[in-house]
Amino acid sequence: MVKPDRCKCMGACPQQDFNQTDTLKTLKVDHRPPLVLNIALALQHVMVHASLCALVVGALVPQAGKEKTAASVFFYSGVSTLLQTCFGSRLPLIQAPSLDFLVPALVLLGARAGNHAACRGQCDQSEQFEVPAHQLRELQGMAVVVGLVQLSVGLCGVGGAVLTRCGPLVLTPVCCILGFSIYREAALLCSDHWGFALLTVVLLVCLSQHLRCWALSAHLKLPLYPVVSMLSVLLSVLLVWVVCAALQHCGHITPHSVSELLFKDDLNTTQFHDWTAANSTNLLSAVSTATWLSLPLPGLGLPLLSGDSIAAGIAAGLSSCISSQAVYVLTARLLNAPTPPAQACNRGVSVEGLGSVLSGLMGVPVGLCSSVPNACMTSLSQCGSRATVQLSAVMLLVLGLFPQLTHVLTSVPLAIHGAVLSVTYTVAAATGITYLQYTDVDSGRNIFNTGFTVFMSLVLPRWFRMQTGFIYTGVGSLDIFLQSCLMLPVFLVSLLAFLLDHTVSGTLSEKGLERDQSTRKIQSLANKPQGNHQSLVTVYEPPQPVRKVLDWPGLRKFPFCACRSLEVEKITVTSAEMSGLLPQ
C-alpha cells in the first residue's frame, strides 16, 4: 500500500495527530474530545439541527406558533437522541424531523386546504375557527402513526433483514438520492438572499477543506486538533449571521418566512399557503406566546387519528425507516466503522419509533428520525464522538425548556440555513458514489440501473407535485397514501433500486458481491472488513444493563428477538452478521 504524501503545511500540522489517510482521521465513536472543543462541536450539531428544523417547522406552522413548536421539537429531539445513543443503534446520530415527514404532511394539508377553500363564504364563523386546531391535531396523529410504523418495522426485524440484502448497487442510488432530495428546498431557502447563502458556502468550503491543515504562525499553532476545520460550520454560520444581523438592523434586508419561499412556485400548495396565511393568527393561538420557561406539553388536546392522517403517517413511516437505515450505513462508512448489524438497525428504528410516538402525543406535529445533515457533518467536523452527540442532546433539552433561547436560533436568516443544508447533504451523495468501486462500473446493466433509478426518483416526485389531481381512486385516504409515496424520493429510489438489482440478470462480480467459500453465502464486498479500526462491540453493543434486559427469556422470542445482539464471542469470531447478504 502506497503511503500518502505528508501534508505540506508550514510547521507542524495538526492533521498529523490523526491517522495519515483522510478516511481514518475522524475521531472514533468512543473518543471523548476535550471539554471546550466538545462543547463547540455539540453546539455545531445544534446549529445544523436548527437548519433542518427551520425548514420543516417553518413550512408546516405559521409564524404565530413557530417558536413554541420549534422548542417542543428541540426537546423531544434531545430525548430521542439520548435514547438512540444509549439504547438504539448506538451510532452518534441526532434525531430530527426530515423531508420524509414534510412531504406527506403537505399532501395532507393540501387536501384539507382544498376542502376548506371550497366552503369559504358558506361556513359559519365557528367552523372557521375550529379548523386550525383540527389540522394541527391531525399532524400530531400522523406523527403517532409514523412512530407506530417505525416501531413495528424495528421490532419485527424487517428493516435489518432487508438491509442485509442490499448490495452496493442498491446503496449507491439510495445514498445519492438521500443527498439530492433536499436540492429544491435548499435552493428556495437560499433564494431568501443569494449573497449571504453564497458567502456561507464559500466560508464552509474554505474552512473545512482549504484550511484543513492551517496553522496560525510558527509559534502559535493548533497542536491537538484541526479546530478551524472541525468547527467550519459553526464559524461560518456565526460570521455570516453577524453580518446579516447588522444589515437587518439598519433596514437594508427584509427576512422572509419559509412558507413564502417554498410555496411561491408550487402549484398544488397555493391554496394551502393562502389559507394558512389567512388563519395564521388563529393557529396555535393557545400556545403562541413564547416565555422564558415552558414545559413542552400538549396544548390542544390528544392527537387526532383520521383516515387521512393514518394514510399520510404510514407513507412517512415507511420512507423514514428507509432513510434512517441508509443513514446508519452512511455514518458507519464516514466513521470507518463496521457495517451496522441487523440487530443494531432494528434497535435504532425501534427507538426512533418511540421518539415519534412520544413527540406526537406531546403535541409535536412531526415525527423524528436520524438527521442526514448531522450525520454528514461527521465528514466536515472529523468528529464522530458519541459523547459529543449526547452533549448536543442535552443542549436540545435546554433549548426546549426555554423558548426564548429557541427564538434566537429561529432568527437565523433562511439563506444561512439553506447554505448549511446544501453543503452537508452533498456528503451523502458523494458517499453513495463510493460504493460503485466494488462493482463493475463499465457494465451496461449497472449503468442503466443506477442512472434510471436516480433520474426517475427525482423526476417523478416533481411531476406528481404539479399534478395533484392525477391520482383519484374515490377513497381520499388511499389517494393521500399513493400521492405521498410517489412524492418521496427516498422511497421511490429504494423500491426501484431493490427491484432492478434483484430482477435484472448479472454476475456476482458485476453486482459487487461474492460467495463466501466457508459459509456458501453471498456477501457484499462493501461489507467485508477492510481495515476497520473499530469493533462491532465498541460501536453497536448497548450498555451491559440493556444487554441483560434483552437476555430475559420473554424477550428472546418474536418480535423482540430482532433487537437482541449476538454474543460477544460470536461477534469476534465470525463476520457473518456484517457480511451476510442474500442468505441461501
Side-chain angles (χ1 to χ4, degrees), residues 98 221 299 301 391 408-409 411 513 568:
S98 71
K221 300 180 177 65
L391 181 58
V408 176
L409 288 181
S411 64
L513 308 174
V568 176

Side-chain angles (χ1 to χ4, degrees), residues 20-70:
Q20 288 293 326
T21 59
D22 200 43
T23 58
L24 297 182
K25 68 178 184 304
T26 303
L27 295 184
K28 297 181 179 181
V29 174
D30 58 343
H31 184 88
R32 187 181 297 272
L35 179 60
V36 177
L37 179 60
N38 199 24
I39 294 175
L41 290 170
L43 182 59
Q44 187 169 237
H45 272 294
V46 173
M47 295 298 296
V48 175
H49 178 280
S51 297
L52 197 56
C53 182
L55 171 62
V56 178
V57 174
L60 297 178
V61 180
Q63 192 72 22
K66 186 173 66 174
E67 287 81 8
K68 178 66 177 178
T69 306

Side-chain angles (χ1 to χ4, degrees), residues 42-57 69-78 81 93-98 233 367-371 373-374 377 392-393 396 399 409 417 420-421 424:
L43 182 59
Q44 187 169 237
H45 272 294
V46 173
M47 295 298 296
V48 175
H49 178 280
S51 297
L52 197 56
C53 182
L55 171 62
V56 178
V57 174
T69 306
S72 298
V73 171
F74 283 154
F75 183 85
Y76 293 107
S77 293
T81 300
L93 293 172
I94 297 290
Q95 305 300 295
S98 71
V233 176
L368 301 173
C369 66
S370 297
S371 171
N374 286 98
M377 203 185 65
S392 302
L396 291 173
L399 288 171
L409 288 181
H417 289 315
V420 171
L421 296 177
T424 52

Side-chain angles (χ1 to χ4, degrees), residues 110-195:
R112 287 290 177 266
N115 294 337
H116 295 302
C119 72
R120 281 181 179 174
Q122 301 176 10
C123 305
D124 57 29
Q125 187 175 7
S126 62
E127 291 176 334
Q128 293 178 357
F129 279 99
E130 291 175 356
V131 169
H134 176 85
Q135 166 194 332
L136 183 62
R137 290 178 58 202
E138 270 198 319
L139 291 179
Q140 296 172 10
M142 173 185 159
V144 173
V145 175
V146 167
L148 294 177
V149 172
Q150 292 171 326
L151 196 59
S152 301
V153 171
L155 290 180
C156 295
V158 176
V162 172
L163 185 61
T164 57
R165 289 160 175 80
C166 294
L169 289 175
V170 177
L171 297 177
T172 294
V174 170
C175 291
C176 287
I177 291 302
L178 204 63
F180 294 148
S181 61
I182 197 73
Y183 78 95
R184 175 183 173 271
E185 288 75 12
L188 290 176
L189 291 182
C190 291
S191 66
D192 185 34
H193 197 292
W194 283 104

Side-chain angles (χ1 to χ4, degrees), residues 200-211 232 236 423:
T200 307
V201 170
V202 170
L203 285 175
L204 275 170
V205 174
C206 291
L207 294 180
S208 64
Q209 305 302 321
H210 294 88
L211 300 182
S232 57
S236 301
V423 174

Side-chain angles (χ1 to χ4, degrees), residues 372-397:
V372 178
N374 286 98
C376 294
M377 203 185 65
T378 302
S379 176
L380 301 177
S381 65
Q382 308 160 41
C383 177
S385 172
R386 187 185 294 124
T388 300
V389 171
Q390 290 174 341
L391 181 58
S392 302
V394 175
M395 291 183 177
L396 291 173
L397 291 174

